[in-house]
């Protein structure tokens, strides 16, 4: 179930979830959403892929959003 294709699909799914989050989601919540969509993905796997894509943690994304909203 791994393989390059599986990784690509997971990366796209994580990116889509984060790009469309109304409220900032924790890595745990993202892992839960991936499971609902048929991906078997642990929280630490979400962390690894999120960091590989250069996407900040939920705390960092929340801070960025607050700064963007204030500007």
């Amino acid at each position: 179930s791994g393989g390059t294709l599986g990784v690509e699909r997971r990366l796209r799914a994580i990116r889509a979830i984060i790009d469309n989050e109304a409220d900032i989601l924790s890595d745990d919540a993202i892992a839960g959403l991936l499971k609902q969509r048929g991906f078997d993905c642990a929280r630490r796997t979400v962390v690894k892929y999120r960091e590989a894509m250069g996407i900040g943690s939920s705390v960092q994304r929340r801070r960025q959003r607050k700064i963007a909203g204030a500007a």
Side-chain angles (χ1 to χ4, degrees), residues 12-55:
R12 280 199 303 275
I14 291 168
R15 165 69 71 191
I17 289 169
I18 291 173
D19 284 350
N20 295 305
E21 61 189 358
D23 293 319
I24 303 295
L25 301 168
S26 67
D27 293 324
D28 225 14
I30 292 169
L33 285 172
L34 288 172
K35 276 199 178 74
Q36 289 175 9
R37 296 177 186 190
F39 294 96
D40 188 24
C41 218
R43 180 198 57 82
R44 60 187 178 275
T45 306
V46 171
V47 173
K48 182 175 87 173
Y49 290 154
R50 179 180 51 70
E51 288 176 346
M53 289 187 284
I55 299 171

Side-chain angles (χ1 to χ4, degrees), residues 21-24 60-70:
E21 61 189 358
D23 293 319
I24 303 295
Q60 292 167 322
R61 295 196 313 276
R62 209 169 280 124
R63 196 173 295 139
Q64 275 182 322
R65 185 176 283 187
K66 190 181 273 188
I67 291 168

